[in-house]
Amino acid sequence: MNGQDRYPLLHSIDAPAALRRLEERDLPQVAAELRDYLVQAVSQQGGHFAAGLGTVELTVALHYVFDTPHDRLVWDVGHQAYPHKVLTGRRDRLPTIKHRDGLAPFPARSESEYDTFGVGHSSTSISAALGMAIANRLEGGDRRVVAVIGDGAMSAGLAWEAMNHAGSLDVDLLVILNDNDMSISENVGALSNYLARMLAGPIYGHLRENSKKVLRRMPAAAWELLRRSELHAKGMVLPGTLFEEMGFNYIGPLDGHDVGSLVTTLANMRKLRGPQLLHVVTQKGKGYAPAEADPIKWHGPGPFDPASGKMRKSRASGPSYSQVFGQWLCDMAERDPRILGITPAMREGSGLAEFEKRFPDRYFDVAIAEQHAVTLAAGLACEGMRPVVAIYSTFLQRAYDQLIHDVALQGLPVTFAIDRGGLVGSDGATHQGAYDLSYLRCIPHMVVMAPADENECRQMLYTAVTLEGPAAVRYPRGQGPGVPVERQMTALEVGTAQIRREGGSGLAILAFGTLVAAAERIGAELDATVVNMRFVKPLDEETVLDVARRHAALATLEDNAVAGGAGTAVLECLQQHGLALPTLSLGIPDRFIEHGSREDNLASAGLDDASLRAELGRFWLRERPQRPKPAAGS
């Protein structure tokens, strides 16, 4: 993978400084070797793929022109940064990406000085880069700051908030819009490249600034008319009027796979002052035919054969929770015309592809705009609709105010299907759904459910849409324990737990969500009572108190942060009713869990079977009632 024979130029680049020592004529070969290396490396273990293929030439050009890491390069939606990792000293470790003790799935400050800002969720790059640019100005520094944002990330409000602020400041900032939308491919070509180079060059800049000086001597009304005429004339051939109006000097669109044009344009733009925006057009999956044909499928594949493009899929034992949700939503939509599906740009990940095909008028992809997704649902609910927001746990964090202010405060019947709850594995700390039970259960009017298996997930989703207020069903990534899913839908009685096993030892285990199966296995070994709590809010206090009074000790299990989580709810219940008995709360500890497999994550958090068995065993050995010693001589 790293031999000099196959990758002679790439093998010589252990840092961007080595890249900058090459001749410019060598850069197309560097890009070709880098693209082939990505195909070979990712095929071994899987990972984010198509987006990185689309940024190869751009990454080469950026590190060739800018003096990184002195100049700051801030990536958005870090799955496009694999080429960046390769060129910044991490080439030989790329096959370890997303695996335990391997490279982080996204740029991480702790991993490399070239990763200037940690990312994972979208649309943060411009805000972070602007902060760096302002700091540089205040310190009198000479570094340049570049934000690279994908077209999808530009759909989020945070990006536009940053653009709005940056355009009003006297600060040197370059924003690169990496646009891989094929609908604007006709803008790419020799004419566009020529215009981009001319607009970035010193002649155009000199004429533009001198013309401004002349025009400023004219009456204000005439100056404003001519200024707007310039912008709109430019906008007739270039789609940059909006950015110009926001205070950015717009350059582009530029062919993002022409490394020579990129180097020339970036070199010219590096000399420009003030807020600049370079619009480059790229193709997601560029250079690998299967990924070009289906960039969605190849966004984050598992291991595959690079020659044939055939993916090496493991055989699934049953439907994933996302698929259970998708089937349930289609079934509900057939029964109830008020059912609507909303997603913030996660159609495939959330299991909504079939729903979109069957009910296109009732499907709403709002792009990467989680706040809007939640308030849109609130507005629909006000008019009698039954919106279902399909959203990842960590993405809902971005809409927390809307969840409280727009939905819960008004008691609106919005259902939140929260995918990727708990530990998600390879996407790492940025995507671990470790906090949803904590941040949901403190909100008035919310009903919060955590299913133990696939069938319970379906029944809880049905329960949620029958309620007259907001409700959340939180389920994990991947497959469940393999419980058959019943087509019949039956609403659960809100706030009721289920005793799965009556034990005789005096220990009771109260488990929430996916850890119920582990609780049953370990409970059988310890002869403990096992309760599937099902509802985090409202808590089944009657069952909690009954179990507490009949047992010598309690333990709670959850794949959520221990701090403020479901176990805390149990402790609060016991305290409020004056019950004091030994308790143990097991969940995700007070630290960030890094990337690896889900099994690795569980072990790291102490939530795998072996760790749980050991911890519960120690607890019960310490807390179980001691039998009286036999009398002397007996």
Side-chain angles (χ1 to χ4, degrees), residues 446-450 460 463 467 491-498 512 531-544:
M446 287 293 301
V447 172
V448 184
M449 295 171 268
M460 285 182 174
T463 303
L467 303 178
L492 304 179
E493 183 180 350
V494 174
T496 59
Q498 175 192 53
F512 294 83
V531 184
N532 172 19
M533 292 301 298
R534 302 199 296 191
F535 288 84
V536 178
K537 185 174 185 178
L539 192 71
D540 186 347
E541 294 193 355
E542 182 178 342
T543 295
V544 170

Side-chain angles (χ1 to χ4, degrees), residues 179-190 192-193 253-257 279-283:
D179 187 344
N180 56 25
D181 187 347
M182 293 298 292
S183 67
I184 60 171
S185 59
E186 61 270 16
N187 288 325
V188 178
S192 294
N193 291 342
L254 187 70
D255 182 352
H257 301 300
H279 180 182
V280 301
V281 179
T282 63
Q283 181 180 14

Side-chain angles (χ1 to χ4, degrees), residues 1 29 32 58 70 112 133 154 195 204 209 211 230 281 283 290 328 339 359 371 508 520 546 571 610 634:
M1 285 299 299
Q29 180 61 30
L58 177 60
H70 175 73
S112 171
M154 284 295 289
L195 288 172
Y204 174 80
E209 291 305 313
S211 66
E230 177 208 12
V281 179
Q283 181 180 14
W328 167 81
I339 296 291
F359 306 96
Q371 294 171 307
E520 288 187 288
D546 173 65
L571 293 175
S634 62

Side-chain angles (χ1 to χ4, degrees), residues 106-445:
F106 309 110
R109 285 170 57 84
S110 60
E111 185 175 283
S112 171
E113 63 179 333
Y114 294 94
D115 293 356
T116 60
F117 195 76
V119 296
H121 293 178
S122 81
S123 316
T124 60
S125 62
I126 303 176
S127 295
L130 178 59
M132 295 175 186
I134 292 172
N136 178 64
R137 186 190 65 185
L138 294 174
E139 294 172 349
D142 63 348
R143 66 170 47 101
R144 312 298 292 177
V145 182
V146 183
V148 184
I149 186 166
D151 60 335
M154 284 295 289
S155 64
L158 179 61
W160 292 101
E161 292 171 20
M163 291 284 290
N164 181 59
H165 185 203
S168 67
L169 299 178
D170 178 20
V171 65
D172 297 331
L173 172 67
L174 171 59
V175 175
I176 297 178
L177 172 57
N178 172 32
D179 187 344
N180 56 25
D181 187 347
M182 293 298 292
S183 67
I184 60 171
S185 59
E186 61 270 16
N187 288 325
V188 178
L191 177 61
S192 294
N193 291 342
Y194 170 75
L195 288 172
R197 289 195 299 270
M198 288 297 294
L199 291 171
I203 296 176
Y204 174 80
H206 179 74
L207 290 173
R208 195 169 189 265
E209 291 305 313
N210 284 346
S211 66
K212 285 182 179 179
K213 293 177 183 178
V214 173
L215 290 170
R216 286 194 182 101
R217 301 191 187 108
M218 303 179 69
W223 152 249
E224 181 62 18
L225 175 63
L226 288 171
R227 186 187 71 83
R228 290 183 176 274
S229 297
E230 177 208 12
L231 293 180
H232 289 289
K234 202 174 182 180
M236 290 175 67
V237 292
L238 302 172
T241 303
L242 173 62
F243 298 113
E244 293 270 5
E245 293 281 10
M246 295 185 72
F248 279 75
N249 179 42
Y250 172 88
I251 305 295
L254 187 70
D255 182 352
H257 301 300
D258 184 339
V259 69
S261 292
L262 285 168
V263 166
T264 301
T265 303
L266 288 170
N268 284 329
M269 296 192 77
R270 194 177 188 280
K271 303 169 188 175
L272 300 178
R273 317 307 297 183
Q276 310 288 325
L277 187 136
L278 173 62
H279 180 182
V280 301
V281 179
T282 63
Q283 181 180 14
K284 195 170 184 178
K286 176 71 174 178
Y288 188 65
E292 289 182 359
D294 192 349
I296 295 175
K297 176 182 178 181
W298 288 88
H299 173 76
F304 62 93
D305 175 35
S308 66
K310 185 177 181 180
M311 295 188 187
R312 303 185 183 104
K313 291 186 177 180
S314 59
R315 185 172 297 175
S317 58
S320 69
Y321 280 96
S322 301
Q323 291 169 332
V324 170
F325 162 73
Q327 183 61 57
W328 167 81
L329 188 62
C330 289
D331 292 345
M332 278 302 305
E334 286 181 343
R335 297 172 53 164
D336 189 343
R338 301 174 301 162
I339 296 291
L340 310 173
I342 301 171
T343 178
M346 294 305 298
R347 179 186 62 188
E348 284 76 21
S350 293
L352 285 168
E354 182 65 21
F355 180 82
E356 182 198 18
K357 292 178 184 177
R358 294 174 56 183
F359 306 96
D361 293 339
R362 294 154 67 182
Y363 167 80
F364 300 94
D365 185 340
V366 302
I368 304 175
E370 296 89 353
Q371 294 171 307
H372 169 58
V374 174
T375 304
L376 171 67
L380 289 164
C382 285
E383 298 303 314
M385 297 292 105
R386 290 288 178 157
V388 178
V389 180
I391 191 167
Y392 286 10
S393 171
T394 54
F395 297 170
L396 185 57
Q397 293 167 185
R398 298 164 68 111
Y400 194 53
D401 179 63
Q402 288 68 33
L403 178 62
I404 297 172
H405 184 276
D406 299 339
V407 175
L409 183 63
Q410 303 184 89
L412 295 172
V414 176
T415 295
F416 294 92
I418 304 177
D419 204 335
R420 271 61 168 180
L423 297 168
V424 300
S426 60
D427 283 342
T430 59
H431 285 62
Q432 307 285 17
Y435 313 107
D436 46 50
L437 299 185
S438 299
Y439 71 66
L440 288 170
R441 79 173 192 86
C442 64
I443 303 175
H445 298 157

